[in-house]
Amino acid sequence: GESVGLHLPTLSVQEGDNSIINCAYSNSASDYFIWYKQESGKGPQFIIDIRSNMDKRQGQRVTVLLNKTVKHLSLQIAATQPGDSAVYFCAETLYSGAGSYQLTFGKGTKLSVIP
Amino acid sequence: EAQVTQNPRYLITVTGKKLTVTCSQNMNHEYMSWYRQDPGLGLRQIYYSMNVEVTDKGDVPEGYKVSRKEKRNFPLILESPSPNQTSLYFCASSWSGKSYNEQFFGPGTRLTVL
């Protein structure tokens, strides 16, 4: 079946710089996309989401961009801090019938912040 | 504190010995789900539940069972564990199964089957 993937498995960024984490998805019917952050030894934590009818959404220090033409999703983190070091997952949701949605995760990108 | 709890956090067992991993949420969420996380494969959904007494298969249900007798609890049952079920397991919950509802994840259960 179709799945969500990531361009870069690891990313090292200098503290204070901006980070960009990319994700490619293949299912054009997906209607909702989410970015999760997973710190070592913890469960994934919601960061930001975006509906398929939007192309940009901003949060606190984070921005998600959606390009449906090329089926690409990105997460931008401004002024990256050591606490941003984690694995980041993108996920897409697809209606699976009977009022429920299936969440499919990408394999993850590890972000390392260099002090 | 609103949270999803899992027990045990770590478990080492032997092939064929039945085990149950419990999951509980205190947020009155309708939707609950189990995932396994493996290196190189990311998070894959095992089973999910839209509400009490309603469960359905995810992407990788083979070798697992679940039950949803109460709204707050969603145990994962391995009737006869095998080494290929060695993994990190996460339980998650959300208000409903709709796409825009944020899923809250538990801390994870590290299972090793020898």
Side-chain angles (χ1 to χ4, degrees):
Chain A
E2 294 176 300
S3 62
V4 174
L6 293 173
H7 292 308
L8 297 173
T10 59
L11 179 65
S12 295
V13 175
Q14 201 74 37
E15 181 178 357
D17 287 351
N18 296 336
S19 302
I20 300 176
I21 301 171
N22 296 302
C23 174
Y25 67 94
S26 57
N27 196 329
S28 56
S30 295
D31 65 344
Y32 189 70
F33 303 88
I34 310 163
W35 280 100
Y36 284 89
K37 174 185 180 183
Q38 186 176 20
E39 296 174 278
S40 181
K42 297 183 179 180
Q45 183 180 14
F46 173 93
I47 303 174
I48 192 168
D49 57 10
I50 188 167
R51 285 194 176 278
S52 60
N53 61 356
M54 301 169 67
D55 52 22
K56 181 179 180 179
R57 190 164 188 219
Q58 287 184 290
Q60 188 177 17
R61 280 202 308 119
V62 294
T63 300
V64 56
L65 299 177
L66 176 62
N67 186 331
K68 293 182 286 294
T69 302
V70 295
K71 296 178 187 172
H72 185 267
L73 191 68
S74 69
L75 177 70
Q76 300 179 0
I77 304 173
T80 312
Q81 302 169 359
D84 295 327
S85 293
V87 176
Y88 290 81
F89 295 94
C90 65
E92 61 180 330
T93 62
L94 186 63
Y95 185 64
S96 55
S100 72
Y101 290 78
Q102 185 142 359
L103 192 64
T104 302
F105 287 85
K107 294 179 174 51
T109 291
K110 183 176 181 179
L111 175 65
S112 296
V113 181
I114 305 165
Chain B
E1 181 189 354
Q3 59 183 348
V4 178
T5 56
Q6 297 177 225
N7 280 292
R9 293 290 313 280
Y10 301 92
L11 179 61
I12 300 174
T13 189
V14 295
T15 299
K17 186 176 181 182
K18 180 180 178 179
L19 67 92
T20 299
V21 184
T22 65
C23 173
S24 182
Q25 50 91 8
N26 62 0
M27 295 170 279
N28 201 35
H29 284 170
E30 290 185 347
Y31 183 91
M32 297 186 75
S33 181
W34 275 103
Y35 297 88
R36 61 178 289 175
Q37 186 175 35
D38 303 289
L41 296 175
L43 281 153
R44 293 177 294 168
Q45 191 177 49
I46 303 170
Y47 267 95
Y48 63 94
S49 170
M50 295 290 289
N51 212 327
V52 176
E53 301 293 359
V54 180
T55 63
D56 217 335
K57 296 177 180 178
D59 294 322
V60 287
E62 294 77 21
Y64 304 95
K65 286 175 57 179
V66 292
S67 69
R68 188 87 183 276
K69 293 182 170 57
E70 304 166 281
K71 197 171 188 178
R72 64 182 294 130
N73 296 322
F74 190 45
L76 179 69
I77 303 155
L78 284 72
E79 294 274 4
S80 183
S82 61
N84 64 12
Q85 292 178 298
T86 292
S87 187
L88 180 59
Y89 291 86
F90 289 100
C91 180
S93 72
S94 62
W95 283 110
S96 76
K98 300 220 184 294
S99 64
Y100 49 82
N101 287 147
E102 178 185 346
Q103 286 201 31
F104 293 84
F105 284 81
T109 295
R110 172 78 63 184
L111 172 65
T112 301
V113 183
L114 302 175

